[in-house]
Amino acid sequence: MHSLGILLSGRGSNFVAIADSIDAGRIVGARIAVVISNKADAPGIATARERGLHAVVIPSKGRSREQHDREVVDALKQHNVDLICLAGYMRLLSPWFVQQFTRQILNIHPSLLPAFPGLEAQEQAFAYGVKVSGCTVHFVDEELDHGPIIVQRTIPVLDVDDEHTLRARILEQEHIAYTEAINIVLQGNFQIAGRRFKKK
Ligand code: GRF
C-alpha cells in the first residue's frame, strides 16, 4: 500500500479529486497518509479534516524556506509517505527538499508546459491567444514547473471562452490527469531518459 502526502495552500479541488479517486477505486493500492497546508485558512485543509484524514498546518509565514521545508519533510517522513502530490501548493520547494524524495514528487500545472509556467497560467495562455491549452502533471525537480512530464491533457480554446470558462475547463481535465498520472507512477513500470518519461 502506497502512502500519499498531499501539499496544498488553497481550495484543494485536486486533492479532493485524488481522494475521490481512491475512494472510488480509480486509484488502487494507495491511501492519503497526510494532507499538509502552509496556510491555516486553506479550504482544502478543512475538507481534509472533514474527510477524517490527517491534516496538518505548517505555517510558512515568518519562517525561512529551509526551516519550513525541514518541518514539512519531517511530517512527510513521520507518515512514511512515498509519493508526494503538490496540489495548488504555492511554494517553491528547496533543492534539499526535492533531493529527499527523488522522483517521488508530482505537481500539476494548468498549462501545456513548457508554455506558461508560473502564476496565472490560464490567463497567460488566454491573453497569448493560444488555440489549444490544457494541463500537465510532471515530476518536480529543482526548477519551477520543470521536471519530466508524465501526463498532459489538452482542450481547445473556443471563441466563446473567457478566462473563467477556460480555467474551469482546464480544471476538469486536471482532476482526470492527476488520477491518471498517480496510477502510472504507482504502477512503477516507467523509465525516464533525459526529460522523456515513457511507460515500459
Ligand atoms: C490548480 O489549477 C493547479 O493546477 C495549480 O493550482 C490550482 C490548484 O487548485 N497548481 P486546487 O486548490 O487544486 O483547486
Side-chain angles (χ1 to χ4, degrees):
M1 178 66 83
H2 291 279
S3 294
L4 308 191
I6 309 276
L7 302 191
L8 55 77
S9 305
R11 179 179 55 185
S13 73
N14 277 288
F15 147 59
V16 169
I18 294 167
D20 284 349
S21 284
I22 290 174
D23 291 350
R26 289 188 296 270
I27 294 175
V28 279
R31 55 186 272 275
I32 295 177
V34 64
V35 181
I36 300 174
S37 171
N38 65 314
K39 293 213 187 314
D41 59 356
I45 208 76
T47 311
R49 287 200 186 101
E50 281 161 23
R51 294 181 80 118
L53 297 168
H54 287 292
V56 182
V57 175
I58 303 178
S60 50
K61 212 173 172 191
R63 285 174 168 81
S64 69
R65 184 174 311 281
E66 284 64 30
Q67 196 183 350
H68 183 253
D69 278 6
R70 213 175 312 120
E71 289 178 42
V72 174
V73 166
D74 281 352
L76 291 166
K77 289 191 171 167
Q78 252 171 40
H79 287 88
N80 295 313
V81 163
D82 57 11
L83 186 69
I84 298 163
C85 300
L86 307 188
Y89 187 58
M90 304 305 282
R91 305 265 305 165
L92 189 60
L93 304 187
S94 63
W96 174 80
F97 188 136
V98 176
Q99 285 152 19
Q100 301 306 301
F101 296 98
T102 315
R103 298 285 184 242
Q104 289 177 297
I105 312 176
L106 310 186
N107 182 43
I108 185 148
H109 184 74
S111 76
L112 296 175
L113 290 171
F116 314 117
L119 294 174
E120 308 296 344
Q122 307 93 326
E123 283 70 14
Q124 290 184 54
F126 185 79
Y128 198 92
V130 297
K131 297 298 185 196
V132 177
S133 192
C135 62
T136 305
V137 183
H138 63 93
F139 282 113
V140 171
D141 66 8
E142 277 90 349
E143 288 176 56
L144 178 69
D145 299 330
H146 180 264
I149 292 170
I150 304 159
V151 168
Q152 288 189 309
R153 291 184 69 91
T154 60
I155 55 155
V157 182
L158 308 172
D159 290 347
V160 293
D161 269 326
D162 59 25
E163 289 92 333
H164 305 289
T165 57
L166 182 62
R167 184 182 270 274
R169 288 191 5 266
I170 291 174
L171 190 63
E172 280 174 18
Q173 298 305 312
E174 290 184 39
H175 296 161
I176 301 167
Y178 226 152
T179 290
E180 239 179 272
I182 289 169
N183 273 319
I184 294 170
V185 170
L186 291 184
Q187 279 155 21
N189 50 346
F190 61 86
Q191 59 191 43
I192 303 172
R195 288 197 47 88
R196 292 189 60 77
F197 174 98
K198 290 191 286 188
K199 287 194 228 170
K200 274 189 195 158

